[in-house]
Amino acid sequence: MENKKRKGDVLFSKYNRGEGIKKALSITREDILFELRDSKLKGRGGAGFPTATKWTIVAAAIADQKYVICNADEGEPGTFKDRVLLLEYPELVFEGMVIAGYTIGATKGIVYLRGEYEYMLNSLEDYLDSMRRDNLLGKNILGNSKFDFDIMIRLGSGAYVCGEETALIESLEGNRGEARNRPPYPVNTGYFGMPTVVNNVETLASIPHIITKGGEWYRKHGTDKSSGSKLFSVSGDCLRPGVYELPWGTTISELLKIVGAKDTKAVQVGGASGICIPKSQFDRSLAYEDVATGGSIMIFNENRNMLHVLKNFMEFFVEESCGQCTPCRIGNVKLLEGVEMIEKGEYKFSYINQLKGLGKTMQVASKCGLGQSSPNAFISILENFKEEIFNGNGGGNGK
Amino acid sequence: MESKGDFRAPVSQTPHTIEKPKDTSTIGGMISVEINEKKISVPLGTTILEACKMAGITIPTLCHHEDLCVAGVCRICVVEVQGMRTLQASCAFPITSPIKIRTSTPMVRKARKHVLELLLSEHYGECYACFRNGKCELQFLAKEYGIDQYTFGHVTEPQFEIDNSSYSVIREMSKCVLCKRCVRTCIDLQEVGVLEAIDRGDKTHIGTFLEKPLADVICINCGQCINRCPTAALRANDPSDEIWAAIDDPKKHVVIQTAPSPRAAIGEEFGLGAGHSMTRELNTALRRIGFDKVFDTNFTADLTIIEEGTELIQRLYKALVKKEQVALPQFTSCSPGWVKFIEHYYPEYLDNLSSAKSPQQMFGALIKTFYAAKAGIDPADIVSVAVMPCSAKKFECNRPEMNDSGYKDVDFGLTTRELARMIKEAGINLPEMPKSNFDSPFGEASGAGLIFGATGGVMEAAIRSVVEFVLGKKAEDIFEKANIIPLRGFDGIKYMEIPIGDMVGPVPKLLQSLVPNWDWLKGATLKVAVAHGTANAKKIMDDIKAGGKFSECHFIEFMACPGGCIGGGGQPIPTTPEIRRLRAQAIYSEDESLELRKSHENPHVVKIYQEFLTEGPCSHLSHKLLHTHYVKRGRYIA
Ligand SMILES: Cc1cc2nc3c(=O)[nH]c(=O)nc-3n(C[C@H](O)[C@H](O)[C@H](O)COP(=O)(O)O)c2cc1C
Ligand code: SF4
Ligand code: SF4
Ligand code: SF4
Ligand code: SF4
Ligand code: FES
């Protein structure tokens, strides 16, 4: 059901296998970086870091070895768009990696594949084999005697935090999946200390299009600050859940109409770590400059109890925190306890406010993005659904 | 873990810091930063924490430790960096560009308080019933940040069972703040790796291999984790109640031996700075507490030098003259942490370990034989206590083979910290004690025994004696003031060559039954090495396995603890490189102030070979009482 797609005219536009690599090898690295910068492509994994900047830093680094890592951990609740890309458009993802390797001077690429996606491992390996046969991968790619590049696939360990790029690298190195201190960033000190590009599946899949059709073409889609299109994984209370390619700048209400959502009360944008948008703000647009997202859209209609929704998110974080830093490890437990207090009607507003303050500390003092974003739902749901939670169905008799 | 194969312990997270340039005068070598509007210039790669220290600003820390790689996990040290959305952990942030830092904004203060309140909410226990009371970093920070209530609650039940399976280290994980200092100590500093973070989320805790009790895993009892734990989650297994009971029992004759390192450090527990030796004050205090006799472990350190030195000469003679197969290099065996380490990790090299017991255990065997006879006391009534800088000594005295006197040779190993507490409990202020001497029949010992406490000390003591034995010259004629500088200091591994030359001396009387002359050593070069901290020991062992330079050594000193015994797991907390340096300095200057600085010149040692061990070193009786054997142990489980 979730594989139902709406094809947009950027990522899902027509593409001939091998074209991107061929074009890339016919131009210089500088030309590639120029097109990339011109495209204004930003990372699709959530943080929205400009891809050209990331690649340029690694390209400029001097090192014995560099790496390209494709982040296919796709662990954010409610996201499944990377799965669709890997299953149906592997050429885009893998060619994006090859082009990255060529641009930054790497010979090795690694796909960190979500553990639950093990079932696609064989077909992906087969696809890589076919690329090797066609000389799109391996030694002297397309007869270019100066360019070798190969890709291996590694299965993830099943922890959400391993999608965070430095925890992912730790996991690849055989260590416990825990985020590293940053700076230094992976672009300087990545996989086994070497300069490393880590990109999301969707970011990489955009590359062959940008190289073949040009940065300017890409930039024409979307908004000024958010170029191109975005894949949205839509789930929840709607008629047509699935993966949608929509231009950046689409408003929430437009999206709700497209997917056939009715009586919508709230939309959680960005998964468990995202924010919850109430009806009154449905005119906001999905874009880096407004409501930024890695693509997870969860729709809740009038029958949903927002406190239960919040409780689910908090339970998720209590379990998925890697447990190394104090604000996230214990903070999430406290926030969950707060939700349970409200649920039972045994709470003081002053304490709930203290918890919101704690959430703000977690946002700034946690070591990695997981802890920094885990209070988002707590803060936005309690703020935006005050009435329902404290007076209505899910509410208690707060003193 | 098994699949990791090889000899490496699992690595902890690589310390991803930026290396400081060797030459800061190059362009970009120095970066100017602004801390609370004050400008200072720091070398590239300096952490914000270090920069603040330079600027005279104290930042609270909990997971940071000078001896360890960066963790950045407690988040107490956060500061604001202009232009960054989130707060930055100052201990983990290397400065690579000019930044503006603020260390005390409302956001920073709030975050620090929140971190403390969160930690306290999960922290079981009350300070007044805690051995770290008054010496606890968590408690100190709570006080500093004016925590006067448990904002986010406080657990009232312990979350974990206390693990007191080990003779040496007790783990009370309900008091753990998950700073991972112990993990980094065990993995990086010691390369043993029995502690790891297990599970994730709210279930995260520090555990052992397969969650077994500490006694059943490959813990070497070094106690280095205890020394670096900020709270009472780790502590040594304290026998002081039993010792008090023995003191209070009129039938018992309670004797105590004191090792040099506790004497150099115990003053720290009484508010003195590091580096004040309290040897003679301690003698008085111990008598006032009620110990019947106070002996100097250095006496058996001197004996160790004679026994171990003789053993080395025997091995060399067998190898060079008789062309027999003998295990060389010979390894020292006085550090019980190191002994257990080699038993687990390199059991195929146990023959290289000197069979000589550690000074503690030699003394134990002599007290319940030689001393008992001399004093006319039934050894069954003697309770023998050893004050040691070391938690592994507790394990050592409980090894089943350590009862050659017919009794448990040493009844209790007591750490410096525990002894300090006993002294305080007795209402004694140690620094104010008058000085007094050790008891006969062992009396005073040499400076050679004293320097056993610092890394390189055993080797230095041995060389002082060996060169005099073999060359027939004074050690002072070879090394200025008999100080062997290349063996001192805190380099992880030290190496030295001593050419024998063509001029050898006569064989001293003590050794005449073993070798006819020294001619066979003419032209030889004695090669020795020193390692402290088992991570360094591992480097040497792997080199030996690979047939490298250290396999050509004749004698190697290994100490389990960084810095040697002065940095032992029973020493006062905290420990830092500077504190260890000062303690070592105290020992070396005490040595230099002594007349008697060579083990073989110790008149009491000479006497014991005349009166008791009459067949000389490494003879039958000496083997029975002063030597031991070792056991092969598993790689993963004890
Ligand atoms: C807790 C956490 C989980 C993450 N999970 C993913 C993920 O599953 N896939 C992904 O591409 N990025 C994930 N990220 C973002 C990555 O850290 C990183 O920013 C991204 O892979 C960079 O690629 P991009 O620049 O192409 O977006 C996650 C971040 C955090 C903090
Ligand atoms: S924020 Fe959470 S997931 Fe990230 S390092 Fe801290 S405990 Fe681990
Ligand atoms: S460990 Fe520290 S904070 Fe905890 S009870 Fe002991 S003294 Fe108090
Ligand atoms: S005593 Fe030593 S070996 Fe044992 S856990 Fe502590 S650091 Fe590791
Ligand atoms: S046991 Fe001590 S050193 Fe280890 S993590 Fe806990 S508090 Fe830190
Ligand atoms: S001291 Fe810096 S994070 Fe713990």
Side-chain angles (χ1 to χ4, degrees), chain A residues 100-142:
Chain A
Y102 175 73
T103 312
I104 65 165
T107 56
K108 290 198 179 102
I110 304 168
V111 178
Y112 188 84
L113 186 67
R114 180 185 167 124
E116 288 85 340
Y117 293 172
E118 192 179 355
Y119 67 90
M120 16 172 140
L121 192 58
N122 284 340
S123 65
L124 290 177
E125 292 285 9
D126 288 348
Y127 194 85
L128 288 175
D129 275 340
S130 80
M131 285 178 69
R132 286 184 195 106
R133 274 195 302 277
D134 295 344
N135 200 209
L136 293 169
L137 210 56
K139 292 225 170 298
N140 306 338
I141 291 178
L142 294 182

Side-chain angles (χ1 to χ4, degrees), chain B residues 63 70 80 104 134 199 255 283 324 363 402 412 422 513 596:
Chain B
C63 66
V70 167
E80 267 185 54
S104 181
D199 286 344
V255 305
N283 289 345
E324 289 175 28
F363 223 143
M402 292 294 180
F412 302 109
M422 287 180 76
S513 63
L596 184 62

Side-chain angles (χ1 to χ4, degrees), chain B residues 558-580:
Chain B
F558 290 101
M559 292 289 159
C561 294
C565 303
I566 42 127
Q571 291 282 65
I573 298 170
T575 182
T576 64
E578 177 62 7
I579 288 174
R580 296 194 290 276

Side-chain angles (χ1 to χ4, degrees), chain B residues 49 60-64 71-78 89-92:
Chain B
L49 183 66
T61 55
L62 202 50
C63 66
H64 172 79
V73 295
C74 75
R75 315 306 286 178
I76 191 88
C77 69
V78 288
S90 59
C91 67

Side-chain angles (χ1 to χ4, degrees), chain A residues 159 170 176 178 180-181 183-184 189 318 320-321 323-327 329-330 333-334 351 361 364-365 367 372, chain B residues 13 16 70-75 85-87 92-93 114 118-119 121 151-152 178 180 197 199-202 204:
Chain A
E170 282 294 317
R176 215 176 124 84
E178 288 183 347
R180 291 175 175 175
N181 293 299
T189 320
V318 164
E320 291 297 334
S321 156
Q324 65 168 322
C325 78
T326 315
R329 180 184 68 246
I330 314 179
V333 174
K334 296 297 153 194
Y351 186 63
T361 289
V364 292
K367 183 167 175 176
Q372 287 163 11
Chain B
Q13 237 184 47
H16 294 271
V70 167
V73 295
C74 75
R75 315 306 286 178
R85 183 183 62 84
T86 55
L87 300 177
F93 191 107
H114 274 145
L118 288 176
L119 288 173
S121 77
T151 307
F152 300 114
L178 281 168
K180 289 206 199 165
D199 286 344
R200 51 172 198 222
D202 59 332
T204 313

Side-chain angles (χ1 to χ4, degrees), chain A residues 47 64 238 282:
Chain A
D64 299 337
C238 64
F282 283 175

